[in-house]
Amino acid sequence: MTTTALAPAQRPGGTGTATPARRPFALLRHSLALAGRSLTKTMRTPEQLLDVTLQPVIFVVIFVYLLGGAIAGSQHEYLQFLLPAIMVQTAMFASTAIGVNLNTDIKKGVFDRFRSLPIARSAPLIGAVVGDVIRFVVSMVVLLGLGFALGFRFGTSPLLGLSACLLVLVFSFCLSWASVLIGMLVREPGAVQGISFVLMFPLTFGTNMMVQTSTLPGWLQAWVKLNPVTDVMAASRALMLGGPTAAPVLHTLAWSLGMLAVFAPLAVRAYRRRT
Amino acid sequence: MTFAFQAEGLVKRFGATTALAGVDLAARPGTVLGVLGPNGAGKTTAVRILATLLRPDAGRAVVGGLDVVRDADAVRRRIGLTGQYASIDEDLTGAENLVLIGRLLDLRTADARARAAELLARFDLAEAAGRPARTYSGGMRRRLDLAASLVGRPDVIYLDEPTTGLDPAKRDDVWSMVRGLVGDGSTVLLTTQYLEEADALADEITVIDHGRVIAHDTPDDLKRIVGGQTVVVRPADPARLAEAGAILAEVSGHQAESPSRGVLTVPVPGDKAFTEVVRRLDAAGVAVVELSLRLPSLDEVFFTLTGHGTGKSSEEARA
């Protein structure tokens, strides 16, 4: 059998210009183009950001005003203690949305289009995760804005305070890949939501976010010490309020890279297999 | 023989279901291959394999000499796909949809914009270019979808039931677009459930049923096999159905079928038979409210080729 291909040159303005040598940059370019798509979609339907806008407000108000007096004796002191940790929790809950969104998105024809284009299989996923960074940024801006209005102040410096935000952003970005994996493995968006929440509750509440670890029963203390989110919250507190930063920050970065290294390839593999 | 794309012995199973049980498809450059079959025949599965979206369990397929599994990326540079459901992003505008695809195809942003504008103009979407695709009508979505599959100037274009759900005027638009693509030198694979559509557009037709090829021919030869045309008769008085049926059977030499209550159809070899039916009905004094000559429906094609209908559609017709 003989088959002939029309050479790219024969096609007017053909697209066969990208050579394999440009691949690494191609993945970056394609992912950024798709992240831009994600961002445009979010900007066009800002109600998607309602959860990350309202959730920090509700949690701060409930915890500080309802429980703060009883727990810490002073609402201001409790706000200082709580806010750096609530930031971690809010970002983690925000990271669950991407699994749900991708699970819905992938059923639409547009993903077939992406699959039939000469781009890396991972590009649509990377693009979606990068585009979702806006959700974390919005939730942090709302949380810090509210915190400052209620009297929260950095105990260190604005620069270190912002680096706490950056660290939480990195952690959430890496955690997003676990959400993407769930979104690829589970059939229905509702189930993705359910599974993500069941996982997020012990991870976020099973920490010293609300009270000192020493006040907890022994078995819970054991979990809190084991839970990597405790490290992230400790790092956030250390950078915003003061105290030793090196160990919790390094732990947080190690966990982040670990999650990225495990969940991102698994998510891409699950995406490839899903038809 | 030189083919723009060719599939040999494609097999694809989904669990216990065999979607394709050894399908061969091929088209020469610059021609249209019509793939005709009912829902569930395996048309979409075959297109998805040729478009690198699915891997075959057995058999192989090449596009422009490149293997769809081994050289998937190179194949993706040569193909355009328009699915049954519009593969466009509802939240983006028409222009944004096309520019995004251009950039994913490594066009420079300015070139991607120029290409998008050119395609929007060609598909009569220039005025709607700045509106989100969710506000588009069904026909506009199909046109945008088709435009999206052409951004990379593909050699081979797959159109999976491009007219399903469109009204006749919109369908004619799509037909003329398909002819335009072939005029540009592209090769088209078109799946359809309508012999009329395959007849109007295709150079060759492959008929598939239950994952197997049951016929492959030019439209003219295929029509010759399935009896060319069909006479449809609806007597004004339902009581005279049997009488009309006898006349049809005498003229055509086939037993007339009743696809729905009060209607009779029978395949006839040529126009003369139709004149004969008209004359005899008149002579017998059978008044009719409907009397027409048309191409066979898919169900009738299947009845002739396999001895059974498409299953689903014949049951629906009788219901």
Side-chain angles (χ1 to χ4, degrees):
Chain A
M1 181 194 81
T2 331
T3 44
T4 50
L6 294 173
Q10 283 177 265
R11 290 181 287 153
T15 55
T17 46
T19 56
R22 287 170 62 194
R23 281 280 114 158
F25 298 106
L27 177 59
L28 185 69
R29 262 200 329 274
H30 298 156
S31 300
L32 286 178
L34 288 160
R37 159 190 179 255
S38 237
L39 208 57
T40 308
K41 283 163 74 82
T42 307
M43 293 306 178
R44 215 150 274 169
T45 45
E47 59 270 26
Q48 278 183 52
L49 294 172
L50 210 62
D51 58 337
V52 291
T53 314
L54 284 181
Q55 193 187 309
V57 175
I58 292 169
F59 277 8
V60 165
V61 168
I62 287 180
F63 291 145
V64 172
Y65 291 100
L66 219 57
L67 309 172
I71 294 172
S74 143
Q75 284 167 348
H76 173 72
E77 256 173 56
Y78 192 57
L79 178 66
Q80 291 288 107
F81 175 74
L82 184 76
L83 189 131
I86 283 270
M87 177 174 283
V88 178
Q89 188 201 31
T90 307
M92 287 176 70
F93 273 103
S95 76
T96 62
I98 189 160
V100 180
N101 290 345
L102 273 175
N103 184 282
T104 314
D105 227 17
I106 206 170
K107 290 178 181 158
K108 295 181 186 156
V110 70
F111 264 76
D112 268 358
R113 168 83 60 211
F114 296 152
R115 281 200 179 98
S116 72
L117 289 171
I119 58 174
R121 283 300 201 248
S122 53
L125 298 189
I126 297 174
V129 174
V130 172
D132 233 37
V133 165
I134 184 72
R135 297 174 60 80
F136 304 131
V137 173
V138 166
S139 81
M140 284 176 188
V141 168
V142 170
L143 182 65
L144 281 180
L146 179 70
F148 279 116
L150 297 179
F152 176 82
R153 294 292 177 266
F154 290 134
T156 50
S157 67
L159 198 66
L160 279 176
L162 287 179
S163 61
C165 298
L166 195 65
L167 186 71
V168 175
L169 198 68
V170 168
F171 178 76
S172 315
F173 174 83
C174 297
L175 181 67
S176 292
W177 287 99
S179 176
V180 174
L181 176 63
I182 296 170
M184 292 302 113
L185 291 175
V186 178
R187 286 282 140 204
E188 292 305 315
V192 177
Q193 179 96 21
I195 292 171
S196 304
F197 267 69
V198 164
L199 290 175
M200 281 305 155
F201 272 97
L203 282 172
T204 58
F205 284 99
T207 56
N208 58 4
M209 175 175 79
M210 292 165 67
V211 294
Q212 299 289 357
T213 315
S214 54
T215 65
L216 300 170
W219 61 270
L220 193 52
Q221 284 196 24
W223 164 246
V224 168
K225 283 172 185 159
L226 205 67
N227 186 352
V229 180
T230 306
D231 285 325
V232 186
M233 289 179 175
S236 178
R237 277 182 180 138
L239 288 169
M240 285 196 195
L241 306 174
T245 51
V249 169
L250 283 178
H251 281 154
T252 302
L253 288 175
W255 272 104
S256 301
L257 287 179
M259 288 192 303
L260 185 67
V262 172
F263 292 127
L266 285 177
V268 171
R269 204 172 79 131
Y271 168 63
R272 275 172 196 272
R273 294 196 167 183
R274 191 171 172 137
T275 47
Chain B
M1 203 80 131
T2 306
F3 293 110
F5 64 84
Q6 184 177 29
E8 289 174 316
L10 290 185
V11 174
K12 184 71 192 177
R13 294 180 202 93
F14 297 106
T17 317
T18 301
L20 296 178
V23 164
D24 299 342
L25 295 172
R28 288 187 311 280
T31 66
V32 178
L33 174 71
V35 176
L36 182 66
N39 270 330
K43 302 189 299 288
T44 298
T45 306
V47 166
R48 289 177 71 87
I49 288 174
L50 279 163
T52 75
L53 298 180
L54 279 181
R55 282 162 174 255
D57 294 328
R60 62 192 288 269
V62 289
V63 176
L66 298 158
D67 189 282
V68 294
V69 175
R70 245 190 358 261
D71 311 312
D73 235 38
V75 168
R76 289 182 191 128
R77 293 192 177 278
R78 291 161 191 275
I79 60 169
L81 170 66
T82 296
Q84 259 177 70
Y85 307 100
S87 319
I88 52 174
D89 198 315
E90 303 260 304
D91 295 326
L92 301 186
T93 67
E96 284 167 348
N97 264 288
L98 299 186
V99 170
L100 173 64
I101 290 164
R103 291 186 56 200
L104 293 177
L105 286 165
D106 294 325
L107 296 183
R108 271 188 285 271
T109 310
D111 294 341
R113 289 211 181 106
R115 180 72 178 144
E118 180 191 333
L119 286 165
L120 288 164
R122 173 169 166 191
F123 288 99
D124 204 18
L125 291 167
E127 275 179 33
R131 269 168 37 201
R134 72 164 84 244
T135 65
Y136 285 19
S137 68
M140 289 163 82
R141 277 167 208 239
R142 288 294 170 101
R143 297 208 298 274
L144 181 61
D145 198 25
L146 194 52
S149 65
L150 299 180
V151 172
R153 301 178 199 274
D155 301 326
V156 173
I157 299 157
Y158 306 123
L159 305 174
D160 193 10
E161 299 198 17
T163 60
T164 299
L166 292 187
D167 62 48
K170 301 277 165 30
R171 191 201 60 184
D172 288 350
D173 284 351
V174 172
W175 284 11
S176 63
M177 283 172 214
V178 174
R179 293 193 183 103
L181 298 178
V182 181
D184 294 347
S186 298
T187 310
V188 174
L189 184 159
L190 170 107
T191 75
T192 179
Q193 300 195 37
Y194 309 106
L195 178 60
E196 188 193 1
E197 182 160 284
D199 183 40
L201 296 172
D203 297 287
E204 288 180 21
I205 299 175
T206 299
V207 187
I208 63 176
D209 181 35
H210 292 113
R212 287 180 194 284
V213 174
I214 56 172
H216 174 85
D217 234 317
T218 62
D220 284 342
D221 285 336
L222 194 66
K223 282 187 287 180
R224 206 163 293 142
I225 296 168
V226 300
Q229 289 164 314
T230 296
V231 175
V232 184
V233 177
R234 185 195 293 270
D237 180 0
R240 305 194 71 175
L241 208 59
E243 209 176 323
I247 291 171
L248 290 176
E250 266 175 51
V251 175
S252 68
H254 295 281
Q255 189 61 45
E257 273 201 76
S258 183
S260 62
R261 195 173 303 155
V263 177
L264 292 170
T265 63
V266 76
V268 291
D271 309 353
K272 277 187 186 140
F274 184 66
T275 323
E276 182 70 16
V277 168
V278 175
R279 220 156 34 78
R280 292 228 194 167
L281 285 173
D282 187 40
V286 180
V288 293
V289 289
E290 185 185 349
L291 181 60
S292 62
L293 188 63
R294 60 163 170 78
L295 283 173
S297 70
L298 183 63
D299 206 43
E300 287 153 348
V301 171
F302 271 71
F303 197 82
T304 314
L305 291 172
T306 65
H308 62 81
T310 56
K312 199 174 156 200
S313 54
S314 58
E315 273 161 32
E316 277 167 4
R318 279 186 204 110

